[in-house]
Amino acid sequence: MQAYIAAMPEWKRSLGERLDSLIVRTVPDVHKAVKWNQPFYGHDGEGWFLSFRCYTKYVQVQFFRGTSLDPVPPKASKHAEVRYVDICEDDDLDEGRLRSWIEQASNLPGEKM
């Protein structure tokens, strides 16, 4: 996981470190893995609740049961329950909102992959 984050380009690396730290602080017993070239977070043996990935102009955080979060993250997916939040370089990161989504997501059934 740390090697993945260290390899994130430019400003995305510090955002990846910030996201990883926020997830660990919110869910101290979180299980981590890199699958399909992106970091996944979940509960060991219980499935995954979120991942994130780099795109050219943003980092996308993916909540696997996003439609069950309050409020629902802003970006829809072709998968019925999945919702995204895209974070661009100059965005003012709302850690309180992210922490709330991470905590809520961690308490939902995980996605088996």
Side-chain angles (χ1 to χ4, degrees), residues 17-82:
E17 291 167 349
R18 200 168 162 192
L19 288 170
D20 183 70
S21 176
L22 180 62
I23 294 163
V24 170
R25 286 193 322 267
T26 306
V27 187
D29 63 342
V30 72
H31 179 70
K32 304 178 192 183
V34 176
K35 299 168 135 325
W36 303 288
N37 197 32
Q38 64 190 67
F40 277 71
Y41 297 83
H43 296 292
D44 196 15
E46 297 178 26
W48 308 103
F49 58 85
L50 76 79
S51 70
F52 62 84
R53 70 176 75 177
C54 292
Y55 287 90
T56 303
K57 297 184 187 259
Y58 57 89
V59 173
Q60 184 175 77
V61 181
Q62 177 177 356
F63 294 95
F64 299 118
R65 304 242 185 255
T67 57
S68 297
L69 304 181
D70 182 24
V72 173
K75 190 173 179 183
S77 168
K78 64 182 178 182
H79 304 285
E81 290 186 82
V82 174

Side-chain angles (χ1 to χ4, degrees), residues 8-16 54-59:
M8 292 172 73
E10 303 163 354
W11 62 270
K12 296 170 191 148
R13 180 178 312 122
S14 63
L15 177 59
C54 292
Y55 287 90
T56 303
K57 297 184 187 259
Y58 57 89
V59 173

Side-chain angles (χ1 to χ4, degrees), residues 86-112:
D86 295 341
I87 304 168
C88 298
E89 182 175 10
D90 295 327
D91 285 353
D92 190 18
L93 192 62
D94 185 344
E95 283 199 13
R97 168 71 43 87
L98 275 172
R99 186 180 306 109
S100 173
W101 281 334
I102 293 163
E103 185 174 2
Q104 291 177 61
S106 74
N107 288 316
L108 295 169
E111 189 68 34
K112 306 283 188 185

